[in-house]
Amino acid sequence: MAIPWTRRLSIIHNTPLPRAQIARRFSSTSSQYQKLRVNPARLLSDLHHTCQWGTGARWGTAPTETGMSRLALSDADRKARDWFVETTKSLGCTITIDEMGSIFAVRPGRKTGAATFAGSHLDTQPSGGRYDGILGVLAGVEMLKVLNENKVETEYPVGVINWTNEEGARFPISMVASGVWADKTPLQTAHNLMEIGGKATQKSELQRIGYLGSTPASHKSMPIAAHFELHIEQGPILEQERRKIGVVLGAQSYRWYTVEVTGRDCHTGTTPLAARADAMLAASKMIVESNRIASSLSGLASTGVLTLTPGSVNTVPGTVRFSLDIRARQDDIVDAIEAEVKASFVQLAQPCSVEIQRDFTSPAIEFDKNCISCIHEAAQSLFTTRTEELTKEMVSGAGHDSVNTNYICPTAMIFIPCKEGVSHNPREYSEPEDCAIGADVLLNSILNYDKLRASKASS
Amino acid sequence: MAIPWTRRLSIIHNTPLPRAQIARRFSSTSSQYQKLRVNPARLLSDLHHTCQWGTGARWGTAPTETGMSRLALSDADRKARDWFVETTKSLGCTITIDEMGSIFAVRPGRKTGAATFAGSHLDTQPSGGRYDGILGVLAGVEMLKVLNENKVETEYPVGVINWTNEEGARFPISMVASGVWADKTPLQTAHNLMEIGGKATQKSELQRIGYLGSTPASHKSMPIAAHFELHIEQGPILEQERRKIGVVLGAQSYRWYTVEVTGRDCHTGTTPLAARADAMLAASKMIVESNRIASSLSGLASTGVLTLTPGSVNTVPGTVRFSLDIRARQDDIVDAIEAEVKASFVQLAQPCSVEIQRDFTSPAIEFDKNCISCIHEAAQSLFTTRTEELTKEMVSGAGHDSVNTNYICPTAMIFIPCKEGVSHNPREYSEPEDCAIGADVLLNSILNYDKLRASKASS
Ligand SMILES: [Zn+2]
Ligand SMILES: [Zn+2]
């Protein structure tokens, strides 16, 4: 498949860092491991090859300029899984499939023990792109190819995971298989999850496509030494700051609320402003104020859903319901935003009344310090003197399987820039060069962690 | 039918004005006309009798505690029309039905000429009440009964009009028959109007229920000397100020707009506030500001409809569309509010963009000075010394058939209080005492106007 990436190098992204220059610096380092780099053309070629299964909406004219629509456990997902199993087997891996259909491909090391994994997901949103999840798995496969062609023997096994149904788009729990693996979600709940708008369950679809494995979906049966995930940022920060690698320290704390404002329907022409209980006006004040409060505390506040009744041009709405999504680096900041929001909403509601219900809570996550160090070292050896300029420590705003594995095993994530921060959209795009840099850092982070394990074992 | 109104007198409304006291004052006036008063029990009995056709949702336990659902030209509307025609015929009226099905019942006077009419409508909203429109027609019928039992001979004919499809709920143009009569809406347009969610046209339904008259629907064929309309306020002002009669000077100027705010969809967790183009936040600021601007200029601003896309809790909406309804006493005030709103919206939109489209314009209406004087005199003769305390000059915030007749003939309206300003709702309610006071003022306003015509003709 023709890949336009080489043409784009240094042209589109206007970056001062052609990968060819890194290569020259790189080859001067001493360690055998640190000389290893991925084959960018092969990585992108494999990635786009797998996007033939579940190709989505077209947004450009080039063959690869389409989105993806590969819902979990669909026929397209089955074909991508089959490719993953065949490819990793042919690279010498042993395959384990668990009761949630997650696939663990393990390449043996010098010693036995749990593998250090690159993990992510091959499923997509119904109107998703070619990079979210897919890049993380394909970079893992590229890692296996690089290790093989360089005849590298790692200290311990290393491997690649494809987690089932990360998106939660078809069966509506996100990161569900890693959640079962981490004892957060009961297997029964996950198996019985009904398809949105259909009658299939997650278990019946696992059976239908032949991916209902026999290994218990649990860290006890399938231990992970460490979990590294390469992912697109899904936000605009790296691109805006012209950085290449996000070293992800953890995940934001976030909570979802439903706010219901109750006023009184009335005719827009016959009711003086002072006699109204205008639920839409009160809701508008609340949305503006929640944004101000979150901003003052370095957090985020967003309203993505709003409905009102009765919904007629000449009737002041008596009821407005809206969603509120509050996020911040730490749980106590979200606590503080929540407290200020609640107090202000009661004031702003007057003369309407307001009820605020918390629907969902996700505490802040801190990734493993050793894994983070391995990523920093990998970036350092790649970028040499420009590391500070080209990397950024950041927190993940979105959920990922790594948030679940982090409860059980050492975990960290690597972000690369994506165009305008767009994700969950056919136009989701990362430069081939940036995909390659991310895969280089993933590869070397895992090798660094492997060495770290060995040095700890011997000391 | 048992009417609870007598029980309610002075109890529920806590008013210092039992109608019995007015009666004593009233009987001391000299003119024969001014002694005339309606029979409250008969008025309410007739009103509730006609509400057997199209009875709506129940909200209380008493027989009359239901709303109404009498859509224009439905079978229920036909039965109410049949009652109106039979009753007014039996009271000695001649009946004219025009091509729009509007019914003109005329009681002869000493001289010939166009009649002075009490006009309103018998159709209701699908979820309407027992007073909006119905009271105005029934008070006209009660007027005929009072004139007959007192053997009053007016100078010129007087009469009662039932205008077809005032509400526009089934065939979606409000006040359509009075609009055709006033040359504002072409007959063809009105006839071809399709039923919402159905295949019938206004003409086919007029034919089906036997009310497609042969008289051209025009002021040229069916002239009106003056049009008086008694109506519930549909707002809270009279009730809040404990007044009994609104003397309506005209109707507000109003305009409808659609505002579309375009930002950029993004993930709520991965996009810093400074990097967002949050259409919902921008729209909220606009709604708050439009209210502030309207308030500062003694106008009204309301948002009754709002939709956003894509509509997911963890996606900042890229597009928000909302309705804006701006009203004020005069056109130039609406001009000023519109100008301020447009300028501020462009500012507040940043970094989103905004488009503001005007969908509908209804200029301010000034009712006829002579008709207004006749209403003032009628209220004066009823309330004697407390007139200022009990009446209020006001403007109509809602549309009425009187707004259309005012383009062609002298017109004015009389408002009475309604509970909590609620209308277009099954719970719409006016005290029987207030209905009777309104009917008294309607009766005497029409008699005053009849005398005025005679005095002008003889001078
Ligand atoms: Zn993902
Ligand atoms: Zn009405």
Side-chain angles (χ1 to χ4, degrees):
Chain A
M1 183 177 289
I3 303 158
W5 82 270
T6 43
R7 283 189 284 110
R8 290 209 180 95
L9 265 181
S10 311
I11 301 167
I12 294 175
H13 211 61
N14 192 26
T15 164
L17 186 84
R19 198 167 170 279
Q21 290 179 17
I22 305 175
R24 282 193 295 276
R25 289 193 198 111
F26 219 156
S27 56
S28 66
T29 60
S30 58
S31 151
Q32 181 218 351
Y33 285 178
Q34 284 179 2
K35 284 181 195 149
L36 292 180
R37 293 179 55 241
V38 303
N39 178 335
R42 183 172 61 194
L43 168 63
L44 273 293
S45 174
D46 281 356
L47 183 143
H48 292 305
H49 177 73
T50 63
C51 290
Q52 72 183 282
W53 303 300
T55 306
R58 176 160 294 285
W59 56 266
T61 51
T64 61
E65 290 176 345
T66 75
M68 286 299 291
S69 180
R70 190 159 67 201
L71 290 172
L73 311 184
S74 62
D75 288 338
D77 188 25
R78 178 178 55 73
K79 286 176 187 157
R81 286 163 173 268
D82 290 349
W83 174 88
F84 177 72
V85 169
E86 281 161 32
T87 303
T88 53
K89 258 190 191 163
S90 76
L91 293 167
C93 291
T94 57
I95 305 296
T96 303
I97 299 172
D98 74 12
E99 293 168 307
M100 281 302 297
S102 295
I103 310 171
F104 303 79
V106 176
R107 181 177 184 274
R110 199 166 290 151
K111 310 187 180 81
T112 57
T116 300
F117 282 104
S120 202
H121 58 96
L122 290 171
D123 72 313
T124 77
Q125 289 282 328
S127 173
R130 291 178 168 235
Y131 301 88
D132 173 1
I134 301 172
L135 175 65
V137 176
L138 271 286
V141 173
E142 174 61 23
M143 168 184 78
L144 299 174
K145 292 185 176 179
V146 173
L147 295 180
N148 281 9
E149 67 195 6
N150 290 281
K151 300 190 173 58
V152 175
E153 193 172 33
T154 54
E155 298 291 333
Y156 293 92
V158 298
V160 188
I161 306 171
N162 172 41
W163 294 105
T164 294
N165 188 19
E166 193 275 343
E167 295 290 359
R170 182 179 178 201
F171 302 98
I173 297 182
S174 306
M175 304 161 269
V176 65
S178 56
V180 174
W181 178 89
D183 290 342
K184 288 190 70 189
T185 305
L187 178 69
Q188 203 68 14
T189 306
H191 270 178
N192 293 341
L193 208 54
M194 294 282 293
E195 178 182 33
I196 290 173
K199 285 178 182 166
T201 65
Q202 202 154 228
K203 186 177 183 184
S204 75
E205 282 295 276
L206 280 167
Q207 246 156 349
R208 186 184 70 81
I209 69 166
Y211 277 90
L212 182 64
S214 55
T215 301
S218 166
H219 57 97
K220 290 163 198 143
S221 303
M222 189 65 216
I224 297 177
H227 188 265
F228 288 87
E229 185 168 7
L230 169 66
H231 207 280
I232 59 169
E233 180 198 337
Q234 303 185 285
I237 299 170
L238 292 174
E239 183 186 55
Q240 281 180 2
E241 302 185 2
R242 293 173 177 269
R243 298 180 195 261
K244 292 297 176 187
I245 289 291
V247 181
V248 186
L249 304 179
Q252 283 180 332
S253 171
Y254 72 96
R255 297 178 198 161
W256 288 352
Y257 309 82
T258 300
V259 182
E260 180 159 339
V261 187
T262 307
R264 213 170 34 246
D265 298 355
C266 67
H267 192 292
T268 57
T270 60
T271 319
L273 297 183
R276 295 184 180 187
D278 182 338
M280 188 61 228
L281 178 63
S284 298
K285 291 177 182 170
M286 292 174 195
I287 291 166
V288 173
E289 182 63 6
S290 64
N291 189 274
R292 194 199 60 74
I293 293 168
S295 174
S296 74
L297 294 169
S298 303
L300 301 172
S302 319
T303 291
V305 176
L306 186 147
T307 56
L308 52 77
T309 56
S312 144
V313 175
N314 62 351
T315 306
V316 174
T319 312
V320 174
R321 282 168 74 99
F322 63 91
S323 66
L324 186 65
D325 171 317
I326 295 179
R327 307 193 181 223
R329 178 69 193 93
Q330 283 130 23
D331 296 336
D332 57 356
I333 302 179
V334 175
D335 286 341
I337 296 172
E338 178 185 304
E340 261 200 64
V341 158
K342 280 183 172 170
S344 75
F345 279 17
V346 169
Q347 294 296 317
L348 293 170
Q350 297 301 327
C352 302
S353 63
V354 64
E355 277 188 47
I356 305 165
Q357 183 190 302
R358 197 201 286 185
D359 301 322
F360 187 70
T361 303
S362 180
I365 298 291
E366 309 256 340
F367 285 148
D368 179 72
K369 299 231 178 314
N370 287 330
C371 291
I372 292 168
S373 297
C374 290
I375 295 170
H376 270 302
E377 281 168 41
Q380 175 69 33
S381 69
L382 185 68
F383 297 139
T384 65
T385 55
R386 301 180 60 206
T387 309
E388 271 194 34
E389 188 187 323
L390 294 171
T391 63
K392 184 185 180 83
E393 293 196 333
M394 56 200 308
V395 290
S396 172
H400 296 287
D401 290 312
S402 289
V403 169
N404 283 333
T405 62
N406 187 66
Y407 285 101
I408 305 295
C409 70
T411 296
M413 293 186 73
I414 302 154
F415 279 173
I416 60 160
C418 62
K419 196 175 174 200
E420 291 167 18
V422 170
S423 184
H424 290 192
N425 187 297
R427 289 177 176 274
E428 182 180 276
Y429 183 74
S430 286
E431 293 294 333
E433 179 183 33
D434 294 340
C435 295
I437 292 172
D440 282 338
V441 173
L442 176 72
L443 164 65
N444 287 289
S445 299
I446 287 176
L447 295 178
N448 289 344
Y449 194 85
D450 182 60
K451 284 192 290 179
L452 182 72
R453 282 174 80 186
S455 71
K456 282 194 175 172
S458 63
S459 68
Chain B
M1 181 177 293
I3 305 160
W5 80 272
T6 43
R7 282 189 284 110
R8 291 208 180 94
L9 264 182
S10 313
I11 301 168
I12 296 175
H13 210 61
N14 191 25
T15 164
L17 186 85
R19 196 165 173 281
Q21 291 178 18
I22 305 176
R24 281 193 297 276
R25 290 192 197 111
F26 217 157
S27 56
S28 67
T29 60
S30 57
S31 151
Q32 181 220 348
Y33 283 176
Q34 286 178 359
K35 282 178 194 149
L36 291 180
R37 293 179 54 244
V38 303
N39 178 333
R42 182 173 62 196
L43 167 64
L44 272 294
S45 174
D46 281 356
L47 182 142
H48 291 305
H49 176 74
T50 63
C51 288
Q52 74 183 279
W53 302 301
T55 306
R58 177 160 293 286
W59 55 267
T61 52
T64 61
E65 289 176 346
T66 76
M68 287 296 292
S69 181
R70 191 159 67 202
L71 290 173
L73 312 185
S74 61
D75 289 338
D77 188 26
R78 179 178 54 74
K79 286 176 188 159
R81 288 164 172 267
D82 290 349
W83 175 89
F84 177 72
V85 169
E86 282 161 29
T87 304
T88 52
K89 259 189 190 163
S90 76
L91 292 167
C93 290
T94 56
I95 305 296
T96 303
I97 300 172
D98 74 13
E99 294 167 306
M100 281 302 297
S102 296
I103 311 171
F104 303 79
V106 176
R107 180 178 186 273
R110 199 166 291 152
K111 308 188 181 80
T112 56
T116 300
F117 281 103
S120 201
H121 59 98
L122 290 171
D123 73 313
T124 77
Q125 290 282 327
S127 173
R130 291 180 168 235
Y131 301 89
D132 174 1
I134 302 173
L135 175 66
V137 176
L138 271 286
V141 173
E142 175 61 23
M143 168 185 77
L144 298 174
K145 291 184 176 179
V146 172
L147 296 181
N148 280 7
E149 69 196 3
N150 288 280
K151 300 192 174 57
V152 174
E153 194 173 30
T154 54
E155 296 292 330
Y156 291 93
V158 298
V160 188
I161 305 171
N162 173 41
W163 293 105
T164 294
N165 188 19
E166 192 276 342
E167 296 290 0
R170 183 180 178 201
F171 302 98
I173 297 181
S174 306
M175 305 162 270
V176 64
S178 56
V180 174
W181 178 89
D183 291 341
K184 288 190 71 188
T185 305
L187 178 68
Q188 204 66 12
T189 305
H191 270 178
N192 293 342
L193 208 54
M194 294 282 291
E195 179 182 31
I196 290 174
K199 287 180 181 166
T201 64
Q202 202 154 231
K203 186 177 184 183
S204 74
E205 282 296 276
L206 281 167
Q207 247 157 347
R208 187 185 68 81
I209 68 166
Y211 277 90
L212 181 63
S214 55
T215 302
S218 166
H219 58 95
K220 289 165 198 141
S221 302
M222 188 67 217
I224 297 177
H227 187 265
F228 287 88
E229 184 168 8
L230 170 65
H231 207 280
I232 60 170
E233 181 198 336
Q234 303 183 285
I237 300 171
L238 293 173
E239 183 185 58
Q240 281 181 1
E241 302 185 1
R242 294 174 177 268
R243 299 181 194 261
K244 293 298 179 185
I245 289 291
V247 181
V248 186
L249 304 180
Q252 285 178 331
S253 169
Y254 72 97
R255 295 176 201 164
W256 288 352
Y257 308 81
T258 300
V259 182
E260 181 158 339
V261 186
T262 306
R264 210 171 35 245
D265 298 355
C266 67
H267 192 292
T268 57
T270 59
T271 320
L273 297 183
R276 296 184 180 188
D278 182 339
M280 188 62 228
L281 178 64
S284 298
K285 291 177 183 169
M286 292 174 194
I287 292 168
V288 173
E289 182 63 6
S290 64
N291 189 274
R292 194 200 61 74
I293 293 168
S295 174
S296 74
L297 294 170
S298 304
L300 302 172
S302 319
T303 291
V305 175
L306 185 146
T307 55
L308 51 77
T309 54
S312 147
V313 174
N314 61 351
T315 306
V316 174
T319 312
V320 174
R321 282 168 74 100
F322 64 90
S323 66
L324 186 66
D325 170 318
I326 296 179
R327 304 190 184 226
R329 178 69 193 93
Q330 282 130 22
D331 296 336
D332 57 357
I333 302 179
V334 175
D335 286 340
I337 296 172
E338 178 184 303
E340 261 200 63
V341 158
K342 281 183 171 170
S344 74
F345 280 16
V346 170
Q347 294 296 317
L348 294 169
Q350 297 302 325
C352 302
S353 63
V354 63
E355 277 189 45
I356 306 165
Q357 182 189 301
R358 196 201 286 186
D359 301 322
F360 186 70
T361 303
S362 179
I365 297 291
E366 309 255 341
F367 286 149
D368 179 73
K369 298 230 177 319
N370 287 330
C371 291
I372 292 167
S373 297
C374 291
I375 295 170
H376 269 302
E377 279 169 40
Q380 174 69 34
S381 69
L382 185 69
F383 298 137
T384 64
T385 56
R386 302 181 59 206
T387 309
E388 271 195 32
E389 186 188 325
L390 295 171
T391 64
K392 182 184 181 83
E393 292 195 334
M394 58 203 306
V395 289
S396 173
H400 297 286
D401 290 311
S402 289
V403 169
N404 282 334
T405 62
N406 187 67
Y407 285 101
I408 305 295
C409 69
T411 296
M413 293 185 74
I414 302 154
F415 278 173
I416 60 160
C418 63
K419 195 174 175 200
E420 290 166 18
V422 170
S423 184
H424 290 191
N425 187 295
R427 289 177 176 274
E428 182 182 276
Y429 184 75
S430 286
E431 294 293 333
E433 181 183 31
D434 294 340
C435 294
I437 292 171
D440 282 340
V441 172
L442 177 71
L443 162 66
N444 287 288
S445 298
I446 286 176
L447 295 178
N448 289 343
Y449 195 86
D450 181 61
K451 281 192 294 180
L452 184 71
R453 283 175 80 186
S455 72
K456 281 195 174 172
S458 64
S459 68

